[in-house]
């Protein structure tokens, strides 16, 4: 009924949305819940309950914030899950000295006709966020090395580095390509394997072992592990 659906929307936005701010590992699940919030089915409700069961089982997990001496290292991972005849899902995660400071999983605003186009739009999205973050860091007078953007699509890197539109399909997303090229002097765009691409967890459902591996790379860890890491560091000092 309408009352249960309204309650479901409240649960999604008050819990999944705000929890995802400090729990980047549920951001893709939050997006999938939000997509079905306007007209949820019984299957959607079961999926949402599954998210809550996961949160209940990992309630002692948290986002680790690390302090590092010297220059700050700013790096970003981006990915896109291409879906034919539908809006693709893209995601990114930005890390400062290994700590997640920004992340997003979202449906793209246009329907892409190739995976390369979807990935290029994803790179453009993370570049926009990096432009803002670097400006804030400069205002705070924080020194940082040249930011790196990692993607698992080699075609995107080839198009950006070549300076020309060699592929027939690439002519359909010239605007995003030119937007990215204007920032190549500020950001390095590098290749990373799919298995090491943290943002892969922001675009699709993964197997348990791979999800837990990428979750650890996001520095989302159990409180006992955090305490152990801190004690090891203090003993080393």
């Amino acid at each position: 009924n309408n009352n249960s659906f309204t309650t479901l929307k409240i649960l999604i936005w008050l819990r999944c949305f705000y929890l995802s701010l400090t729990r980047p590992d549920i951001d893709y699940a939050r997006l999938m819940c939000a997509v079905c919030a306007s007209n949820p089915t019984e299957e959607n409700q079961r999926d949402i309950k599954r998210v809550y069961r996961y949160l209940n089982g990992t309630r002692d997990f948290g986002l680790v914030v690390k302090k590092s001496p010297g220059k700050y290292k700013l790096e970003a991972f981006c990915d896109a899950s291409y879906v034919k005849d539908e809006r693709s899902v893209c995601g990114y995660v930005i890390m400062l000295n290994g700590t997640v400071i920004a992340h997003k999983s979202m449906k793209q605003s246009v329907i892409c006709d190739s995976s390369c186009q979807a990935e290029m739009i994803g790179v453009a999205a993370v570049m926009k966020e990096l432009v803002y973050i670097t400006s804030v860091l400069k205002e705070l007078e924080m020194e940082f090395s040249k930011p790196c953007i990692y993607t698992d699509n080699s075609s995107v890197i080839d198009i950006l580095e070549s300076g020309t539109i060699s592929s027939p399909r690439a002519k359909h997303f010239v605007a995003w390509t030119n937007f990215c090229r204007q920032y190549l002097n500020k950001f390095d765009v590098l290749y990373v394997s799919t298995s090491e691409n943290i943002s892969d967890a922001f675009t699709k459902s993964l197997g348990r072992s791979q999800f837990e591996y990428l979750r650890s790379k996001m520095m989302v860890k159990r409180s006992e592990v955090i305490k152990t890491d801190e004690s090891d560091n203090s003993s080393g000092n």
Side-chain angles (χ1 to χ4, degrees):
N1 53 44
N2 292 333
N3 289 334
S4 63
F5 287 168
T6 302
T7 303
L8 190 64
K9 293 179 185 179
I10 294 173
L11 287 174
I12 291 171
W13 289 107
L14 290 184
R15 295 189 180 181
C16 284
F17 177 76
Y18 287 109
L19 279 173
S20 68
L21 297 177
T22 55
R23 288 292 300 272
D25 52 317
I26 68 164
D27 207 14
Y28 176 71
R30 185 270 315 162
L31 173 65
M32 293 297 99
C33 290
V35 168
C36 69
S38 60
N39 188 26
T41 62
E42 291 185 3
E43 183 180 357
N44 298 142
Q45 295 184 59
R46 287 195 296 270
D47 292 338
I48 293 170
K49 289 179 181 178
R50 186 180 179 186
V51 174
Y52 287 141
R53 287 197 299 271
Y54 168 74
L55 289 171
N56 185 55
T58 58
R59 62 174 61 189
D60 54 347
F61 277 62
L63 186 62
V64 179
V65 178
K66 298 190 335 183
K67 181 180 179 181
S68 300
K71 273 190 176 183
Y72 289 92
K73 182 181 180 182
L74 192 61
E75 54 187 355
F77 296 80
C78 63
D79 190 33
S81 181
Y82 170 65
V83 182
K84 187 177 181 181
D85 298 328
E86 292 183 24
R87 290 187 298 155
S88 302
V89 176
C90 74
Y92 64 76
V93 55
I94 300 175
M95 309 181 78
L96 185 65
N97 283 0
T99 298
V100 176
I101 59 172
H103 60 87
K104 194 168 188 178
S105 178
M106 61 184 174
K107 283 269 191 177
Q108 293 183 342
S109 59
V110 298
I111 297 176
C112 302
D113 62 358
S114 68
S115 60
C116 188
Q117 180 180 3
E119 295 277 0
M120 187 67 75
I121 295 175
V123 172
V126 75
M127 279 190 173
K128 289 180 182 178
E129 188 69 15
L130 277 174
V131 169
Y132 169 73
I133 290 176
T134 53
S135 66
V136 172
L137 294 179
K138 288 178 181 177
E139 286 185 12
L140 296 174
E141 298 182 353
M142 297 171 62
E143 293 187 13
F144 56 91
S145 55
K146 188 176 182 180
C148 296
I149 300 173
Y150 295 95
T151 175
D152 55 13
N153 191 298
S154 57
S155 297
V156 168
I157 299 175
D158 292 340
I159 292 174
L160 290 176
E161 291 181 347
S162 65
T164 59
I165 305 298
S166 56
S167 172
R169 284 190 174 185
K171 66 183 180 182
H172 299 296
F173 50 93
V174 174
W176 286 286
T177 302
N178 290 338
F179 174 85
C180 294
R181 280 178 180 159
Q182 68 178 328
Y183 292 109
L184 290 181
N185 61 327
K186 295 183 178 180
F187 311 127
D188 287 329
V189 182
L190 307 174
Y191 176 80
V192 66
S193 63
T194 302
S195 60
E196 296 294 324
N197 190 351
I198 302 175
S199 58
D200 200 38
F202 291 77
T203 61
K204 61 179 74 69
S205 299
L206 301 174
R208 179 170 181 171
S209 59
Q210 179 63 11
F211 174 77
E212 290 180 347
Y213 172 68
L214 294 181
R215 182 180 66 188
S216 66
K217 290 179 70 69
M218 296 178 207
M219 299 303 291
V220 176
K221 297 183 178 183
R222 195 182 299 274
S223 56
E224 289 82 356
V225 176
I226 297 172
K227 291 178 182 178
T228 302
D229 291 343
E230 290 177 348
S231 61
D232 291 342
N233 292 334
S234 60
S235 61
N237 294 333

